[in-house]
């Protein structure tokens, strides 16, 4: 399981980059199985940390995605509409979900080591 050290992690398996980019973890995509659909928030939406803002559907189940930070959504990964499998093949790169401007991270985000310990 990959857990890049430069990211912060929510207990609900989302990751947050300093620039506000959000995705789901390698652990989460592995647990979901093959992702077949991703519903992303609208650009301009103001989100609160811990709020359900997106949905990832796989062959196994659908899972709510929670914002790991408060802020305004300024970008979504449009490539996911035609290639949702990017979440599986590159959860930390091509499979990112959305980006929040001036993110205010939740207080309970975990370090890479803490996340790996909790899910290893």
């Amino acid at each position: 399981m990959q857990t890049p050290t430069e990211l912060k992690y929510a207990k609900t398996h989302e990751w947050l980059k300093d620039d506000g980019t959000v995705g789901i973890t390698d652990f989460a995509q592995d647990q979901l199985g093959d992702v077949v659909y991703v519903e992303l928030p609208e650009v301009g939406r103001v989100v609160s940390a811990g709020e359900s803002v997106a949905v990832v559907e796989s062959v196994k189940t659908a899972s709510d995605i929670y914002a790991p930070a408060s802020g305004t959504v300024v970008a979504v990964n449009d490539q996911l509409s035609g290639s949702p499998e990017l979440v599986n093949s590159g959860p930390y790169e091509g499979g990112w979900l959305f980006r929040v401007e001036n993110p205010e991270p939740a207080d309970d985000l975990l370090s890479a080591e803490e996340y790996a310990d909790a899910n290893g």
Side-chain angles (χ1 to χ4, degrees):
M1 178 176 74
Q2 296 179 8
T3 50
T5 56
E6 69 274 18
L7 304 176
K8 294 290 186 186
Y9 299 87
K11 292 176 184 173
T12 50
H13 309 292
E14 295 82 10
W15 55 261
L16 174 68
K17 197 173 185 179
D18 284 344
D19 69 359
T21 305
V22 174
I24 64 169
T25 65
D26 189 29
F27 175 81
Q29 69 79 23
D30 184 62
Q31 294 295 306
L32 284 168
D34 294 336
V35 174
V36 295
Y37 179 74
V38 180
E39 181 181 314
L40 298 171
E42 290 186 28
V43 172
R45 178 175 171 183
V46 177
V47 299
S48 298
E51 179 183 354
S52 175
V53 295
V55 176
V56 172
E57 291 184 23
S58 70
V59 294
K60 292 181 181 177
T61 188
S63 183
D64 287 335
I65 305 301
Y66 301 94
S70 298
T72 302
V73 176
V74 292
V76 296
N77 187 350
D78 290 330
Q79 291 185 333
L80 296 179
S81 63
S83 302
E85 67 276 6
L86 289 172
V87 173
N88 295 114
S89 63
Y92 300 112
E93 295 147 6
W96 64 278
L97 301 179
F98 59 93
R99 187 169 296 128
V100 177
E101 184 178 48
N102 299 322
E104 295 177 33
D107 293 335
D108 60 349
L109 295 183
L110 306 172
S111 69
E113 184 178 358
E114 291 168 330
Y115 182 80
D117 286 348
N119 297 289

